[in-house]
Amino acid sequence: MASAQSIIIAAMQEIGAIALSETAVPDDLIAMGLLGFNRRVSQWNTRRPFGSYEYTQVFTLPTAANSYTIGATADSPALVVTAGRAPTKIDSAKRLQTSGSVVTETPIAVLTFQQWDALRIPGLLNSDTIAVYLQMIPKLPKLWCYGFSAGEQLRLSWRALINTVLIAAIATDIDWNEGVEEALTSTLTVDLGIAFGKTISADQK
């Protein structure tokens, strides 16, 4: 994992704006780097899937219900995700079953609205989940489960957007894929190099 700050410092070191051994980076350079970081992320977000990465999270169903809201803690959802990371489309889903120290993951179906709407019975209480459907509702998406029981665990995967970062969270690690970190460092190196009037080598591009 890396933070926006560590990516900015790495880019600054690449172009020679700060020494490789320098850790106390002036605030004005950090602010300039963050501006470039957020500008690049915003550009990527307009070009999915380049501005997103595969994100996976395991949820424990808190109660026996056939639907659960998903969102940030501040919105009081049934299933909590990091702010700005709520899914807009589920790519894959698995049901986790634990027997002793062995965890078995069973793929379950991810349904479209038409497929979910065609079901005669929209839920089976106290049975294993065999399918899910994500209903997009403003602010809080809702996950519907066909088959559900309290305490059941589901592993869901979706494309999460790379969010812009506030200065207050600049040192917070972000659990994106390693390739995204490398791509951001590389592109920010080029962007900052141009801003500083530096010559960017072929290896840095």
Side-chain angles (χ1 to χ4, degrees):
M1 293 193 295
S3 65
Q5 179 173 272
S6 65
I7 288 175
I8 291 167
I9 290 175
M12 291 283 188
Q13 291 171 336
E14 276 288 325
I15 63 173
I18 60 175
L20 293 176
S21 59
E22 192 169 355
T23 56
V25 182
D27 290 343
D28 59 334
L29 290 185
I30 287 292
M32 181 179 182
L34 184 60
L35 180 64
F37 177 96
N38 285 335
R39 183 184 296 117
R40 178 58 65 176
V41 166
S42 296
Q43 290 173 347
W44 283 8
N45 283 345
T46 64
R47 296 182 290 167
R48 292 188 183 188
F50 194 58
S52 62
Y53 61 101
E54 189 68 21
Y55 181 75
T56 298
Q57 183 169 333
V58 174
F59 297 98
T60 299
L61 304 184
T63 58
N66 65 351
S67 67
Y68 308 88
T69 52
I70 303 179
T73 302
D75 297 322
S76 301
L79 306 177
V80 177
V81 297
T82 303
R85 197 171 287 165
T88 56
K89 176 180 178 293
I90 300 297
D91 294 326
S92 66
K94 294 180 180 180
R95 183 179 66 252
L96 277 60
Q97 294 175 301
T98 303
S99 177
S101 60
V102 178
V103 178
T104 302
E105 299 192 14
T106 304
I108 58 178
V110 179
L111 305 182
T112 64
F113 168 74
Q114 290 78 10
Q115 291 170 326
W116 180 262
D117 193 50
L119 294 175
R120 291 180 179 272
I121 305 174
L124 299 171
L125 182 61
N126 295 325
S127 62
D128 291 339
T129 298
I130 59 174
V132 294
Y133 158 63
L134 184 68
Q135 181 184 13
M136 287 310 301
I137 299 174
K139 195 174 184 179
L140 281 178
K142 181 177 287 188
L143 181 74
W144 292 83
C145 299
Y146 190 77
F148 49 88
S149 57
E152 187 174 49
Q153 289 189 310
L154 300 180
R155 183 188 300 280
L156 306 180
S157 298
W158 65 90
R159 301 296 299 182
L161 284 178
I162 304 171
N163 296 317
T164 55
V165 174
L166 298 175
I167 189 67
I170 194 170
T172 301
D173 283 340
I174 305 171
D175 55 351
W176 48 38
N177 298 354
E178 184 177 345
V180 175
E181 175 188 336
E182 293 174 350
L184 267 173
T185 303
S186 177
T187 54
L188 189 59
T189 296
V190 174
D191 293 344
L192 292 178
I194 295 172
F196 276 89
K198 302 286 186 178
T199 300
I200 305 299
S201 67
D203 292 336
Q204 291 175 313
K205 293 182 179 179

mmCIF file of all heavy atoms in Angstrom, residues 3 16 21 40 45 47 64 72 95 98-99 108-109 117 124-125 129 135-136 142 148 158 163-164 170 175 183 202 204:
data_model
loop_
_atom_site.group_PDB
_atom_site.id
_atom_site.type_symbol
_atom_site.label_atom_id
_atom_site.label_comp_id
_atom_site.label_asym_id
_atom_site.label_seq_id
_atom_site.Cartn_x
_atom_site.Cartn_y
_atom_site.Cartn_z
ATOM 1 N N SER A 3 0.520 5.869 0.165
ATOM 2 C CA SER A 3 -0.311 7.053 0.372
ATOM 3 C C SER A 3 -0.058 8.037 -0.758
ATOM 4 O O SER A 3 0.925 7.914 -1.497
ATOM 5 C CB SER A 3 0.012 7.703 1.711
ATOM 6 O OG SER A 3 1.348 8.188 1.704
ATOM 7 N N GLY A 16 14.337 15.098 -9.190
ATOM 8 C CA GLY A 16 15.414 15.840 -8.546
ATOM 9 C C GLY A 16 14.960 17.088 -7.824
ATOM 10 O O GLY A 16 15.790 17.930 -7.460
ATOM 11 N N SER A 21 17.303 11.357 0.064
ATOM 12 C CA SER A 21 17.308 11.148 1.514
ATOM 13 C C SER A 21 16.371 12.104 2.249
ATOM 14 O O SER A 21 16.204 11.999 3.470
ATOM 15 C CB SER A 21 18.728 11.328 2.061
ATOM 16 O OG SER A 21 19.206 12.636 1.761
ATOM 17 N N ARG A 40 -4.598 14.464 -11.980
ATOM 18 C CA ARG A 40 -4.415 13.239 -12.756
ATOM 19 C C ARG A 40 -5.494 12.214 -12.423
ATOM 20 O O ARG A 40 -6.059 11.574 -13.311
ATOM 21 C CB ARG A 40 -3.027 12.655 -12.483
ATOM 22 C CG ARG A 40 -2.734 11.352 -13.202
ATOM 23 C CD ARG A 40 -2.863 11.480 -14.694
ATOM 24 N NE ARG A 40 -1.865 12.380 -15.258
ATOM 25 C CZ ARG A 40 -1.727 12.584 -16.566
ATOM 26 N NH1 ARG A 40 -2.531 11.981 -17.429
ATOM 27 N NH2 ARG A 40 -0.806 13.427 -17.024
ATOM 28 N N ASN A 45 -10.571 9.263 -13.856
ATOM 29 C CA ASN A 45 -11.937 8.886 -13.505
ATOM 30 C C ASN A 45 -12.933 9.117 -14.637
ATOM 31 O O ASN A 45 -14.043 8.593 -14.606
ATOM 32 C CB ASN A 45 -12.398 9.645 -12.257
ATOM 33 C CG ASN A 45 -11.809 9.060 -10.991
ATOM 34 O OD1 ASN A 45 -11.292 7.954 -10.993
ATOM 35 N ND2 ASN A 45 -11.879 9.807 -9.904
ATOM 36 N N ARG A 47 -12.229 8.183 -17.614
ATOM 37 C CA ARG A 47 -11.899 7.173 -18.618
ATOM 38 C C ARG A 47 -11.866 5.784 -17.994
ATOM 39 O O ARG A 47 -10.840 5.137 -17.922
ATOM 40 C CB ARG A 47 -10.542 7.485 -19.262
ATOM 41 C CG ARG A 47 -10.518 8.779 -20.036
ATOM 42 C CD ARG A 47 -9.154 8.980 -20.682
ATOM 43 N NE ARG A 47 -8.122 9.258 -19.689
ATOM 44 C CZ ARG A 47 -6.824 9.222 -19.957
ATOM 45 N NH1 ARG A 47 -6.401 8.878 -21.156
ATOM 46 N NH2 ARG A 47 -5.942 9.490 -19.006
ATOM 47 N N ALA A 64 -30.908 -11.654 9.438
ATOM 48 C CA ALA A 64 -31.567 -12.441 8.403
ATOM 49 C C ALA A 64 -32.553 -11.534 7.666
ATOM 50 O O ALA A 64 -33.680 -11.334 8.100
ATOM 51 C CB ALA A 64 -32.291 -13.636 9.010
ATOM 52 N N ALA A 72 -20.866 4.211 3.445
ATOM 53 C CA ALA A 72 -19.912 4.646 4.464
ATOM 54 C C ALA A 72 -20.570 4.676 5.836
ATOM 55 O O ALA A 72 -21.791 4.761 5.955
ATOM 56 C CB ALA A 72 -19.364 6.025 4.105
ATOM 57 N N ARG A 95 -19.688 -17.086 -1.704
ATOM 58 C CA ARG A 95 -20.155 -17.369 -0.349
ATOM 59 C C ARG A 95 -19.046 -18.098 0.391
ATOM 60 O O ARG A 95 -18.472 -19.069 -0.121
ATOM 61 C CB ARG A 95 -21.415 -18.234 -0.396
ATOM 62 C CG ARG A 95 -22.022 -18.517 0.972
ATOM 63 C CD ARG A 95 -23.282 -19.356 0.887
ATOM 64 N NE ARG A 95 -22.998 -20.711 0.399
ATOM 65 C CZ ARG A 95 -23.337 -21.160 -0.805
ATOM 66 N NH1 ARG A 95 -23.961 -20.367 -1.658
ATOM 67 N NH2 ARG A 95 -23.051 -22.400 -1.169
ATOM 68 N N THR A 98 -16.921 -21.745 6.597
ATOM 69 C CA THR A 98 -15.764 -22.143 7.404
ATOM 70 C C THR A 98 -16.052 -23.442 8.142
ATOM 71 O O THR A 98 -17.093 -23.583 8.799
ATOM 72 C CB THR A 98 -15.405 -21.050 8.422
ATOM 73 O OG1 THR A 98 -15.147 -19.824 7.717
ATOM 74 C CG2 THR A 98 -14.176 -21.433 9.220
ATOM 75 N N SER A 99 -15.126 -24.368 8.019
ATOM 76 C CA SER A 99 -15.208 -25.637 8.746
ATOM 77 C C SER A 99 -13.858 -25.861 9.413
ATOM 78 O O SER A 99 -12.877 -26.219 8.761
ATOM 79 C CB SER A 99 -15.532 -26.795 7.794
ATOM 80 O OG SER A 99 -15.543 -28.033 8.499
ATOM 81 N N ILE A 108 -21.232 -17.519 -6.459
ATOM 82 C CA ILE A 108 -22.684 -17.371 -6.549
ATOM 83 C C ILE A 108 -23.007 -16.402 -7.682
ATOM 84 O O ILE A 108 -22.168 -15.598 -8.092
ATOM 85 C CB ILE A 108 -23.301 -16.888 -5.219
ATOM 86 C CG1 ILE A 108 -22.697 -15.549 -4.792
ATOM 87 C CG2 ILE A 108 -23.084 -17.919 -4.119
ATOM 88 C CD1 ILE A 108 -23.289 -15.000 -3.510
ATOM 89 N N ALA A 109 -24.205 -16.491 -8.181
ATOM 90 C CA ALA A 109 -24.598 -15.712 -9.357
ATOM 91 C C ALA A 109 -24.796 -14.236 -9.010
ATOM 92 O O ALA A 109 -25.288 -13.897 -7.934
ATOM 93 C CB ALA A 109 -25.879 -16.274 -9.958
ATOM 94 N N ASP A 117 -35.901 -9.582 -11.174
ATOM 95 C CA ASP A 117 -37.330 -9.295 -11.249
ATOM 96 C C ASP A 117 -38.132 -10.514 -11.695
ATOM 97 O O ASP A 117 -39.318 -10.629 -11.379
ATOM 98 C CB ASP A 117 -37.556 -8.131 -12.231
ATOM 99 C CG ASP A 117 -38.956 -7.553 -12.140
ATOM 100 O OD1 ASP A 117 -39.396 -7.259 -11.014
ATOM 101 O OD2 ASP A 117 -39.600 -7.399 -13.193
ATOM 102 N N LEU A 124 -35.063 -16.467 0.228
ATOM 103 C CA LEU A 124 -35.270 -17.725 0.937
ATOM 104 C C LEU A 124 -34.610 -17.605 2.300
ATOM 105 O O LEU A 124 -33.384 -17.618 2.403
ATOM 106 C CB LEU A 124 -34.663 -18.898 0.153
ATOM 107 C CG LEU A 124 -35.223 -19.147 -1.245
ATOM 108 C CD1 LEU A 124 -34.373 -20.179 -1.968
ATOM 109 C CD2 LEU A 124 -36.661 -19.635 -1.163
ATOM 110 N N LEU A 125 -35.409 -17.459 3.361
ATOM 111 C CA LEU A 125 -34.885 -17.222 4.695
ATOM 112 C C LEU A 125 -34.120 -18.440 5.220
ATOM 113 O O LEU A 125 -34.537 -19.577 5.029
ATOM 114 C CB LEU A 125 -36.019 -16.862 5.648
ATOM 115 C CG LEU A 125 -35.642 -16.539 7.099
ATOM 116 C CD1 LEU A 125 -34.718 -15.349 7.165
ATOM 117 C CD2 LEU A 125 -36.894 -16.296 7.925
ATOM 118 N N THR A 129 -27.005 -18.320 0.503
ATOM 119 C CA THR A 129 -27.190 -17.382 -0.597
ATOM 120 C C THR A 129 -26.673 -18.007 -1.888
ATOM 121 O O THR A 129 -25.553 -18.513 -1.941
ATOM 122 C CB THR A 129 -26.422 -16.071 -0.329
ATOM 123 O OG1 THR A 129 -26.948 -15.468 0.857
ATOM 124 C CG2 THR A 129 -26.571 -15.100 -1.488
ATOM 125 N N GLN A 135 -28.992 -3.196 -6.325
ATOM 126 C CA GLN A 135 -29.939 -2.164 -6.754
ATOM 127 C C GLN A 135 -29.320 -0.794 -6.505
ATOM 128 O O GLN A 135 -28.961 -0.456 -5.383
ATOM 129 C CB GLN A 135 -31.249 -2.287 -5.981
ATOM 130 C CG GLN A 135 -32.301 -1.256 -6.383
ATOM 131 C CD GLN A 135 -33.555 -1.350 -5.536
ATOM 132 O OE1 GLN A 135 -33.571 -2.013 -4.498
ATOM 133 N NE2 GLN A 135 -34.617 -0.717 -5.977
ATOM 134 N N MET A 136 -29.176 -0.014 -7.583
ATOM 135 C CA MET A 136 -28.573 1.303 -7.448
ATOM 136 C C MET A 136 -29.611 2.313 -6.979
ATOM 137 O O MET A 136 -30.547 2.651 -7.692
ATOM 138 C CB MET A 136 -27.951 1.743 -8.771
ATOM 139 C CG MET A 136 -26.665 0.998 -9.109
ATOM 140 S SD MET A 136 -25.485 0.978 -7.741
ATOM 141 C CE MET A 136 -25.229 2.736 -7.459
ATOM 142 N N LYS A 142 -28.304 -0.913 -2.633
ATOM 143 C CA LYS A 142 -28.897 -1.981 -1.826
ATOM 144 C C LYS A 142 -28.551 -3.330 -2.438
ATOM 145 O O LYS A 142 -28.758 -3.557 -3.625
ATOM 146 C CB LYS A 142 -30.411 -1.804 -1.741
ATOM 147 C CG LYS A 142 -31.120 -2.858 -0.885
ATOM 148 C CD LYS A 142 -32.614 -2.586 -0.777
ATOM 149 C CE LYS A 142 -32.892 -1.399 0.120
ATOM 150 N NZ LYS A 142 -34.362 -1.242 0.379
ATOM 151 N N PHE A 148 -30.567 -16.302 2.336
ATOM 152 C CA PHE A 148 -29.801 -15.473 3.263
ATOM 153 C C PHE A 148 -29.974 -16.009 4.679
ATOM 154 O O PHE A 148 -30.971 -16.646 5.006
ATOM 155 C CB PHE A 148 -30.262 -14.014 3.219
ATOM 156 C CG PHE A 148 -31.757 -13.859 3.319
ATOM 157 C CD1 PHE A 148 -32.375 -13.772 4.551
ATOM 158 C CD2 PHE A 148 -32.535 -13.836 2.179
ATOM 159 C CE1 PHE A 148 -33.756 -13.654 4.644
ATOM 160 C CE2 PHE A 148 -33.921 -13.709 2.263
ATOM 161 C CZ PHE A 148 -34.530 -13.618 3.500
ATOM 162 N N TRP A 158 -15.728 -5.557 -7.024
ATOM 163 C CA TRP A 158 -16.234 -4.553 -7.952
ATOM 164 C C TRP A 158 -15.111 -3.588 -8.317
ATOM 165 O O TRP A 158 -14.049 -3.596 -7.722
ATOM 166 C CB TRP A 158 -17.420 -3.798 -7.351
ATOM 167 C CG TRP A 158 -17.116 -2.967 -6.132
ATOM 168 C CD1 TRP A 158 -16.731 -1.656 -6.090
ATOM 169 C CD2 TRP A 158 -17.212 -3.381 -4.751
ATOM 170 N NE1 TRP A 158 -16.571 -1.224 -4.795
ATOM 171 C CE2 TRP A 158 -16.866 -2.265 -3.949
ATOM 172 C CE3 TRP A 158 -17.566 -4.583 -4.125
ATOM 173 C CZ2 TRP A 158 -16.858 -2.310 -2.570
ATOM 174 C CZ3 TRP A 158 -17.546 -4.637 -2.733
ATOM 175 C CH2 TRP A 158 -17.199 -3.512 -1.979
ATOM 176 N N ASN A 163 -10.029 7.724 -5.845
ATOM 177 C CA ASN A 163 -10.560 9.001 -5.372
ATOM 178 C C ASN A 163 -9.475 10.070 -5.235
ATOM 179 O O ASN A 163 -8.310 9.758 -4.990
ATOM 180 C CB ASN A 163 -11.245 8.822 -4.013
ATOM 181 C CG ASN A 163 -12.457 7.925 -4.090
ATOM 182 O OD1 ASN A 163 -13.248 8.038 -5.013
ATOM 183 N ND2 ASN A 163 -12.606 7.037 -3.124
ATOM 184 N N THR A 164 -9.889 11.314 -5.401
ATOM 185 C CA THR A 164 -8.990 12.418 -5.086
ATOM 186 C C THR A 164 -8.768 12.432 -3.568
ATOM 187 O O THR A 164 -9.537 11.841 -2.802
ATOM 188 C CB THR A 164 -9.575 13.763 -5.540
ATOM 189 O OG1 THR A 164 -10.884 13.921 -4.960
ATOM 190 C CG2 THR A 164 -9.691 13.825 -7.058
ATOM 191 N N ILE A 170 -3.556 13.018 3.327
ATOM 192 C CA ILE A 170 -2.475 12.798 2.358
ATOM 193 C C ILE A 170 -1.528 11.677 2.777
ATOM 194 O O ILE A 170 -0.919 11.007 1.938
ATOM 195 C CB ILE A 170 -1.685 14.108 2.136
ATOM 196 C CG1 ILE A 170 -0.803 13.994 0.885
ATOM 197 C CG2 ILE A 170 -0.880 14.482 3.367
ATOM 198 C CD1 ILE A 170 -0.184 15.294 0.465
ATOM 199 N N ASP A 175 -5.434 1.158 -0.243
ATOM 200 C CA ASP A 175 -5.190 -0.245 -0.599
ATOM 201 C C ASP A 175 -5.567 -0.549 -2.051
ATOM 202 O O ASP A 175 -6.324 -1.455 -2.342
ATOM 203 C CB ASP A 175 -5.946 -1.189 0.352
ATOM 204 C CG ASP A 175 -7.428 -0.898 0.416
ATOM 205 O OD1 ASP A 175 -7.854 0.133 -0.137
ATOM 206 O OD2 ASP A 175 -8.167 -1.709 1.006
ATOM 207 N N ALA A 183 1.647 3.284 -11.761
ATOM 208 C CA ALA A 183 1.194 4.135 -12.858
ATOM 209 C C ALA A 183 1.044 5.586 -12.406
ATOM 210 O O ALA A 183 1.422 6.522 -13.125
ATOM 211 C CB ALA A 183 -0.130 3.614 -13.415
ATOM 212 N N ALA A 202 13.544 8.845 -21.009
ATOM 213 C CA ALA A 202 12.647 7.805 -21.539
ATOM 214 C C ALA A 202 12.272 6.815 -20.449
ATOM 215 O O ALA A 202 11.165 6.282 -20.429
ATOM 216 C CB ALA A 202 13.305 7.099 -22.718
ATOM 217 N N GLN A 204 11.793 7.441 -17.361
ATOM 218 C CA GLN A 204 10.850 8.037 -16.391
ATOM 219 C C GLN A 204 9.466 8.191 -16.972
ATOM 220 O O GLN A 204 8.516 8.400 -16.211
ATOM 221 C CB GLN A 204 11.380 9.417 -15.946
ATOM 222 C CG GLN A 204 12.637 9.356 -15.102
ATOM 223 C CD GLN A 204 13.180 10.738 -14.807
ATOM 224 O OE1 GLN A 204 13.291 11.588 -15.705
ATOM 225 N NE2 GLN A 204 13.537 10.979 -13.564
#
